[in-house]
Amino acid sequence: MHRPHITLRETPAGGTAPLLLRPWTHEDAAALVRHHRDPQLRVWLATHLDTAEQARAWVDAQHRGWAAGTRAAFAVVEDLPALQAPVGHVALTATEPSAGSEPGAQPSATPAAPVRAGYWTAPEARGRRIASRALVLAAGWAAGPDSPFGGRTLELVHAVGNEGSCRTALAGGFALSGTLPASPARPRAQHLHTAAGQRPAREA
């Protein structure tokens, strides 16, 4: 069974505060509500957290994803004593369960479905490559032996026109690989990005 509480720490470089990726907690509810008030963020998010109750319920859903091995959602924190509030979010979600990703499972001849990455950054943290750094860190862990997603293709989608997300994907090593047309379930056309090879990340 996969550990439900993985924490990842970025290796410090160039005097920049390293990033810490940790699971979301109920204590983060106020920060989630505050960040979800940002108009620029709300334009692109499918889920809006307007109350602490909604935020706590969302956190509970992330924990269920961890326990099931189908979703790994991280709060992104700058790892300094005075900077412990989340400044972003990065998540990896299995597009469908894969028994082959479980430790000890027998390999399957059918390729496993891709794992999709998603992310956002708080307004005060934008312009400092926090989202792309968090994406690299999470993708590196996903490719490693302790992840439920090992051996699966990593991809991400974002709405065409979301230039900030496109720049983050490219900076995080996810090359643009196509465009998905709009559909009833997806009202905007989407850019599809696919990850190049990633080094396994170091757990904290």
Side-chain angles (χ1 to χ4, degrees):
M1 173 176 250
H2 298 291
R3 287 181 292 164
H5 297 298
I6 299 293
T7 299
L8 306 176
R9 181 173 281 107
E10 186 181 43
T11 301
T16 302
L19 297 183
L20 180 73
L21 272 56
R22 60 162 174 80
W24 288 94
T25 71
H26 282 184
E27 287 69 30
D28 298 318
L32 281 165
V33 171
R34 183 173 69 254
H35 295 330
H36 275 242
R37 291 193 188 114
D38 172 46
Q40 186 174 338
L41 191 61
R42 291 177 75 90
V43 167
W44 306 113
L45 287 183
T47 300
H48 297 155
L49 305 177
D50 297 320
T51 68
E53 183 179 7
Q54 289 175 343
R56 287 190 290 269
W58 180 86
V59 169
D60 289 341
Q62 310 316 301
H63 288 182
R64 289 193 293 272
W66 273 109
T70 57
R71 181 170 167 86
F74 296 97
V76 180
V77 176
E78 293 184 275
D79 194 20
L80 291 175
L83 299 172
Q84 290 298 304
V87 294
H89 165 73
V90 63
L92 301 163
T93 306
T95 54
E96 62 183 53
S98 171
S101 66
E102 294 294 327
Q106 294 300 313
S108 170
T110 303
V115 173
R116 280 214 173 144
Y119 45 80
W120 54 256
T121 308
E124 65 270 19
R126 291 176 192 148
R128 294 192 281 128
R129 297 186 56 251
I130 283 177
S132 60
R133 288 160 54 200
L135 179 60
V136 167
L137 196 57
W141 169 75
D146 295 325
S147 158
F149 309 126
R152 302 175 72 169
T153 300
L154 295 178
E155 63 181 29
L156 65 85
V157 297
H158 64 79
V160 173
N162 189 343
E163 298 301 329
S165 188
C166 200
R167 288 192 298 270
T168 293
L170 295 172
F174 284 68
L176 181 61
S177 55
T179 301
L180 306 176
S183 68
R186 188 177 53 242
R188 293 182 173 119
Q190 307 273 313
H191 277 166
L192 173 66
H193 293 254
T194 305
Q198 299 281 347
R199 284 186 175 183
R202 176 172 66 91
E203 293 185 24

